[in-house]
Amino acid sequence: MNIPRIAKAMEHIDDGLITNALLTTKKRAGLVWIKWGVMAASLCLIIVGTVFWINSPGSPDNLPEGGGGDAGGAVDGVWPEGVDPVVASVAVIPAGESLLDVADATLVSINEEDAKNIERLGAYLPDTLPEGCRYSTAGYYETTMKDGTRYHMIRVTFESGQGTVPAPVPEGVQAASEMTGNTAFLWMVWGHRPDTKKPIYQPDEVTPQLLDQMGGVFYIDYDGVYVGIVQYEISTEELMSIINSIG
């Protein structure tokens, strides 16, 4: 986790919110309670900001292209004046749109079944995975613009590894299976053309040779539904098999 970047983001929190909270605190609470209240509020802001930052499409491990941190007018992670940094961190907008025109943005965690049932986008998630790969976590992003237009994206992490059983437990206590593994690949499905400077390929243009040359995220256009992929612990042949099974 990049602590300096989180600290930088904290600079944009409105100090007036904390000041107003202190002014409305009952005097009988005393300075000690005010002190601890400020500390607790600050900790909550850091935790919430960190969670959104980790799960946003703009964080370094999620790659900036296509939304979040560096899209729609943000420069070096600093949002335009008047834009809520939490909203901006999860906003997914196409090229040509601006963060200044974003009214709201949300991110919710979803399971595999719900992800696949999302209208239009869910049909472009992998159905058949290589042996050892499994669905791990997913987020569903919704961005609402000031004119009412909405944009959506699904982001799914797939892992590879074996299920392991922890050390023996006392009789009568059920041992839960513990899954351990590495990120195999990241799969993002956009209902709009991502805001990216990278090329976007047609499915028949993607070859093993092209994948071997890729670095970071790359995009495929499946007739107006865009898939962003990041290859981690998965072979080129396995990834090609998944790509060819879509659409």
Side-chain angles (χ1 to χ4, degrees):
M1 181 167 59
N2 193 323
I3 297 299
R5 181 164 179 175
I6 294 173
K8 186 175 181 180
M10 291 293 291
E11 295 173 4
H12 302 282
I13 294 174
D14 188 354
D15 291 335
L17 295 176
I18 298 177
T19 301
N20 290 335
L22 291 178
L23 291 176
T24 57
T25 302
K26 294 181 180 180
K27 292 183 179 180
R28 63 184 177 83
L31 294 178
V32 174
W33 288 109
I34 293 176
K35 172 184 174 182
W36 285 106
V38 172
M39 291 177 65
S42 299
L43 180 59
C44 287
L45 287 170
I46 292 173
I47 292 173
V48 171
T50 302
V51 170
F52 272 103
W53 178 79
I54 290 173
N55 288 285
S56 74
S59 67
D61 63 321
N62 299 339
L63 302 163
E65 279 78 7
D70 297 329
V75 179
D76 295 330
V78 178
W79 321 121
E81 184 178 356
V83 177
D84 186 320
V86 174
V87 169
S89 70
V90 296
V92 290
I93 58 177
E97 291 279 20
S98 169
L99 278 174
L100 291 173
D101 296 322
V102 172
D104 192 22
T106 60
L107 163 61
V108 295
S109 182
I110 54 177
N111 60 34
E112 182 176 11
E113 181 179 359
D114 289 341
K116 290 183 176 180
N117 285 332
I118 291 176
E119 185 178 358
R120 187 175 177 228
L121 304 187
Y124 292 87
L125 292 173
D127 268 330
T128 304
L129 298 175
E131 184 178 357
C133 280
R134 64 183 180 277
Y135 181 102
S136 177
T137 58
Y140 182 52
Y141 296 77
E142 179 179 271
T143 300
T144 304
M145 308 302 288
K146 292 178 180 177
D147 64 2
T149 304
R150 292 183 178 181
Y151 299 108
H152 299 91
M153 188 264 279
I154 306 172
R155 178 187 183 277
V156 183
T157 300
F158 292 88
E159 289 189 351
S160 61
Q162 300 296 323
T164 61
V165 178
V169 295
E171 185 178 354
V173 177
Q174 184 177 0
S177 180
E178 186 179 85
M179 302 302 290
T180 59
N182 300 315
T183 300
F185 62 99
L186 177 65
W187 193 274
M188 297 172 285
V189 184
W190 307 77
H192 54 275
R193 185 182 179 90
D195 182 9
T196 178
K197 296 178 181 177
K198 293 191 174 184
I200 298 179
Y201 300 95
Q202 294 299 311
D204 58 4
E205 294 178 318
V206 180
T207 64
Q209 293 74 23
L210 181 64
L211 291 181
D212 288 338
Q213 298 171 9
M214 293 290 186
V217 63
F218 66 94
Y219 298 91
I220 303 175
D221 176 6
Y222 289 98
D223 295 324
V225 174
Y226 297 85
V227 172
I229 306 169
V230 186
Q231 181 180 3
Y232 290 114
E233 300 294 327
I234 187 174
S235 72
T236 297
E237 291 73 18
E238 291 172 329
L239 185 55
M240 276 300 308
S241 177
I242 296 172
I243 291 172
N244 291 333
S245 71
I246 302 297

